[in-house]
Structure formats: structure tokens, C-alpha cells
Amino acid sequence: MKLDFPLLILSDIHFGHPASAVRDPEQLESLFSGFETVLFNGDTVEMLTQQNRENAQSQVEEIGQLCLSQGAKPVFINGNHDPVISSANHLDLFGGSVLVTHGDILFHELAPWGREAAFMGETHTNILKKMCREALTDFDERLFAAREASISLEMHEMNYPQGKMAKLLTILRESWPPWRVLRIVKYWMQTPHRATMLAQIFRPFAKYVLIGHTHYAGIWESEGRTIINTGAFLPVSGRLGIVVEQGKMIVRKIAMRGKKYVLGKKLAEFTVEDRTEAKTPIMVDEKPEISPIFMPHLPEYASTKNGYAEVLEY
Ligand SMILES: [Mn+2]
């Protein structure tokens, strides 16, 4: 796929979710203008259940049309809330120097803070069990397995708050019981290291890993790599837009002007080297320790998980 620059990366709009900060796609219009491509890095809409899938489909079209009306081509990457929005689970930019993926792959339970974590972990385990060793170390296969696990939720009964109080009820529900908040903070703290390990194992040439998913925006320098989380259009999370041009990336805050979202304060700028020709793995130590985090065929894998899934035996 050829992506034209300048390109804007956003994530986790969660359009259609009761707590989404986007009530009308038109609020995003000004953000899109001036870009050749807008890359939606997952969880753009809510299409997990059969009931909301049809609705979500027309919302995707609406967002896509809005991009086109501003002269930008929309490109969608799957997230765990919209696992069937696209055929892409990740993108490699600049010859692999930049890895873009939603980030649900970072956790065995995909969303270990969620109410469906136990079900998700079990399903993911069962999917991984059916895969051979080669497949387990292949990035596309692993992303595909995680996506399968998300899709399985569709058959699982879920109930979201509905009606006028939905937003408030959702916030209360998400922050109850109180220790859940602490666990979420724990996952936030683990994320940069996990993203680094993901790159080390599956994308050793990637200097930058761009994710969303955890709803915690920020930039981290972690073990020779830079991890950028674009946050979410939800309360508390913070939200960033990444502007990608030839040879560089600029991270900006997303601000509001009136009711519309715009690119705000510049937080960082990175010069990005194209690795199409020179593939040099990013290494900090001479003999990097390979973490078992994403390696279910290693016995240590069990101890790196979040507590639900059983040990995979090979
Ligand atoms: Mn997500």
C-alpha cells in the first residue's frame, strides 16, 4: 500500500461509545484537512456486537467520506473494538523504521483491564495452542490470532449502559471496583516495555512503535526505542496526533477550537531514517535478553501474563 505524505495518525476515537469525546464526526473535519492520508490506528468505531456492527459500518463510511471531502485518503487499522474494519492489523513505515499497530497484542488478555479479560485470555490461549512454533513467531500470524480473539467476543454476552445516563454510568462502571483503577495504572506502566519487547521480537528494525489502545497518551524512550501512544478520544486519556512527513515525525497535542478538534502544541519531533536499504536491528545490549512476554512456546511465558490464561505446553 502506498501512503502519501503528509500523513496524520490518530487512534481510539471510539465513535459510538457512550463516553467518546466525538459526538459528531464533523468535529474531526479540521484535523483531517491538509493531509494526504489519515491513518486510524484502531478502535475508530464500536463494532464488537452484531447489534452495533451495522451502525458502526455507516459511521466508518461517514468518517471516511469526511476525510475524502478534505482531500485525505482514510486508512484504517484494526483495533480490538473494530476487529473487522480493515484487512490491516499493522503497518510498517519507512522500510520498517516505524511500526504502527493498535496495541492490543501487547497483552495476552488484549484488554486485561476489561470485564471480558478472563474470557479473552482463555480464547486467545486456545487460538495460540492450535498454532505451530513458526506461526507463533510470525508477527502477522500473531496479530491475526489476537484479532480472532477479539472477534470471538461478538458471541459473548456483553451489556453496555444505554440511554441518557450512559456516559456517567460508563465512567462509574469503568472505575469500579477502586483497585481496578490501580490495575489500569499498572498496565499503563508496563506498556512501553511491552512495546519495546514486541519490536525486539517481531520488528527488530523498528526504532519507533506507534500505538493507542491503553488510553494513555505519551512518548517514552525505552531500551533504544521510542514508543508513542496517541491516547484516545475518551475522558482522562489525553490525545495526540502524529504528523508523518518525508523523513520526520511530529507529535502534537490534539486541542479544541470551539466544538472542533485541531492540532495543537508540538510535543516532539523525530528525524526518521528509512530502513528499506540498511536493515540494522536496534540493539542496546550486545546480547539482548529475549523476554518471554510474547513467546508462548517458552515455559517462562506463563509468569509474564496477567494471571488468567493457563500455561501453553509444547
Ligand atoms: Mn483498544
Side-chain angles (χ1 to χ4, degrees):
M1 189 193 319
K2 195 186 170 301
L3 299 173
D4 290 321
F5 294 151
L7 173 152
L8 174 70
I9 303 176
L10 302 172
S11 75
D12 299 82
I13 294 169
H14 284 278
F15 191 60
H17 189 284
S20 176
V22 179
R23 309 313 302 166
D24 179 347
E26 298 241 328
Q27 290 178 277
L28 299 167
E29 196 178 51
S30 318
L31 270 183
F32 301 159
S33 85
F35 289 98
E36 287 294 322
T37 314
V38 179
L39 187 53
F40 297 89
N41 192 15
D43 289 0
T44 308
V45 295
E46 301 292 322
M47 43 167 65
L48 269 183
T49 62
Q50 279 301 355
Q51 302 104 278
N52 62 21
R53 188 155 296 174
E54 210 170 297
N55 209 0
Q57 202 57 53
S58 63
Q59 288 164 343
V60 174
E61 269 159 44
E62 200 179 338
I63 293 171
Q65 282 302 330
L66 199 71
C67 270
L68 292 170
S69 76
Q70 298 303 306
K73 178 183 162 188
V75 175
F76 297 95
I77 292 181
N78 290 320
N80 54 316
H81 285 246
D82 52 3
V84 294
I85 198 173
S86 167
S87 55
N89 293 312
H90 85 282
L91 281 176
D92 297 302
L93 305 177
F94 298 102
S97 203
V98 177
L99 166 65
V100 189
T101 193
H102 179 60
D104 43 336
I105 184 109
L106 296 177
F107 301 95
H108 185 82
E109 289 83 6
L110 310 187
W113 51 83
R115 287 180 190 269
E116 286 79 25
F119 171 80
M120 213 58 140
E122 212 182 295
T123 313
H124 199 189
T125 301
N126 290 331
I127 295 167
L128 294 179
K129 270 185 175 172
K130 291 188 198 122
M131 292 164 66
C132 64
R133 264 169 189 260
E134 286 69 41
L136 287 171
T137 50
D138 181 279
F139 194 40
D140 282 302
E141 296 277 359
R142 290 298 297 276
L143 286 165
F144 200 77
R147 175 180 182 249
E148 287 280 282
S150 293
I151 293 173
S152 71
L153 256 193
E154 165 188 298
M155 306 311 237
H156 189 69
E157 213 163 308
M158 286 187 297
N159 37 36
Y160 287 124
Q162 303 282 339
K164 267 192 176 171
M165 300 293 280
K167 188 171 174 175
L168 180 66
L169 285 171
T170 303
I171 294 167
L172 287 175
R173 208 175 89 121
E174 292 301 310
S175 51
W176 192 262
W179 54 84
R180 228 182 128 219
V181 177
L182 291 176
R183 286 189 33 209
I184 292 173
V185 171
K186 183 184 93 181
Y187 299 126
W188 282 344
M189 291 173 71
Q190 288 180 351
T191 302
H193 174 68
R194 283 179 175 262
T196 311
M197 288 301 127
L198 184 82
Q200 191 168 302
I201 295 167
F202 299 106
R203 284 296 184 268
F205 312 115
K207 173 91 172 77
Y208 302 93
V209 184
L210 315 187
I211 52 169
H213 184 56
T214 64
H215 304 164
Y216 186 62
I219 306 170
W220 294 266
E221 295 298 330
S222 170
E223 297 146 272
R225 294 185 160 86
T226 303
I227 316 301
I228 309 172
N229 190 320
T230 38
F233 287 78
L234 290 168
V236 197
S237 58
R239 52 197 78 110
L240 306 175
I242 304 172
V243 178
V244 185
E245 289 171 31
Q246 206 50 260
K248 66 176 179 182
M249 285 195 304
I250 301 157
V251 185
R252 291 188 176 276
K253 273 193 167 180
I254 292 175
M256 280 204 110
R257 192 180 296 147
K259 283 190 170 171
K260 298 216 171 183
Y261 290 102
V262 291
L263 286 175
K265 192 175 169 238
K266 175 167 147 182
L267 296 185
E269 181 170 336
F270 302 96
T271 308
V272 187
E273 198 190 327
D274 194 296
R275 289 181 187 268
T276 314
E277 301 291 324
K279 297 266 189 207
T280 9
I282 308 286
M283 287 214 199
V284 188
D285 306 321
E286 273 187 32
K287 275 190 192 156
E289 187 195 327
I290 290 288
S291 157
I293 288 180
F294 304 104
M295 310 300 254
H297 54 290
L298 299 180
E300 302 93 310
Y301 181 67
S303 63
T304 67
K305 287 178 298 174
N306 310 307
Y308 297 105
E310 58 197 284
V311 188
L312 290 175
E313 280 180 40
Y314 286 85

